[in-house]
Amino acid sequence: MQKGTDRIEENLIALLLGAMTLITFANVVARKAFNSNLLWALEVTVFLFAWLVLIGISYGVKKSLHIGIDSLTGRMSPGTRKCMLIMALLACLAFSLLLLKGSWDYWYPFVTKRAFLETEDIPMPSGLQFLSHFLNDGEEYEKIPRFIPYFALPLGSLLLTLRYCQLAWRFVKGEPPVLIAHHGSES
């Protein structure tokens, strides 16, 4: 099960990075070779980068890829180190919960009261026009509504919170959770 979810995240991260690269390349070719411009390319790339970062943060926590300095905790007794681990885990969990609450509070009005707000340049695909019937009083969108790209905020925060909950559960079960990759300084 975990390998399947790892693959989904890894493939999504690769897809986002690949799409950013292709769109940027296509825009450079359009500007240099055809003296034209893909008007929507920059905005799409910025949104894809936000998705990439927010999903990548939770994936980094899941795989213990974040770098930290453990030179101080490496000198502590096992009991003190365990206490520091609990405090760090609780701080990370509290931070991710606050981030989840804040990102939801920011995003939710874009689905309800501000559903009419659109992105600046990204055209609305016709396959997504069904959203206008539910969220925009039946008036078709010309550009993608902002709640779609902004969904990266609550999704990324939710994934991050789930990763810290998984680490906490591993700790409760007696498994040693790893918060950081051990790249601390050598003494």
Side-chain angles (χ1 to χ4, degrees):
M1 172 86 171
Q2 185 173 358
K3 288 188 179 190
T5 58
D6 286 354
R7 281 213 178 101
I8 291 170
E9 286 177 330
E10 289 168 356
N11 289 337
L12 186 56
I13 289 169
L15 179 71
L16 292 168
L17 188 58
M20 286 173 52
T21 303
L22 287 174
I23 291 168
T24 302
F25 177 74
N27 196 30
V28 168
V29 168
R31 276 189 283 138
K32 299 296 181 186
F34 303 108
N35 201 20
S36 184
N37 186 19
L38 299 176
L39 187 62
W40 48 267
L42 178 62
E43 191 174 21
V44 168
T45 304
V46 168
F47 286 136
L48 290 175
F49 186 70
W51 280 78
L52 177 74
V53 167
L54 291 166
I55 292 170
I57 289 170
S58 67
Y59 184 74
V61 169
K62 183 178 185 177
K63 292 295 191 177
S64 302
L65 298 173
H66 294 288
I67 296 175
I69 305 211
D70 56 357
S71 60
L72 181 62
T73 57
R75 296 179 184 160
M76 294 178 178
S77 68
T80 306
R81 197 174 314 139
K82 186 175 181 179
C83 182
M84 292 295 287
L85 177 65
I86 292 169
M87 289 182 359
L89 193 54
L90 289 174
C92 290
L93 192 54
F95 172 77
S96 68
L97 285 168
L98 288 171
L99 192 62
L100 178 59
K101 169 79 170 96
S103 64
W104 179 264
D105 289 347
Y106 180 78
W107 175 77
Y108 187 71
F110 286 99
V111 179
T112 54
K113 298 179 280 194
R114 298 184 203 151
F116 61 90
L117 290 175
E118 301 173 337
T119 57
E120 296 292 322
D121 298 319
I122 307 169
M124 180 69 164
S126 59
L128 293 177
Q129 281 297 351
F130 71 92
L131 294 171
S132 63
H133 301 294
F134 302 110
L135 302 170
N136 201 24
D137 297 326
E139 186 177 333
E140 287 196 351
Y141 289 109
E142 287 182 35
K143 311 286 185 202
I144 286 184
R146 289 186 186 187
F147 69 85
I148 293 175
Y150 288 6
F151 184 65
L153 294 165
L155 177 65
S157 300
L158 178 65
L159 288 173
L160 184 63
T161 302
L162 290 174
R163 299 303 172 225
Y164 283 127
C165 286
Q166 288 174 341
L167 284 174
W169 180 248
R170 284 172 52 193
F171 182 78
V172 167
K173 287 185 358 184
E175 299 174 27
V178 180
L179 289 174
I180 60 169
H182 292 287
H183 296 289
S185 63
E186 299 288 327
S187 300

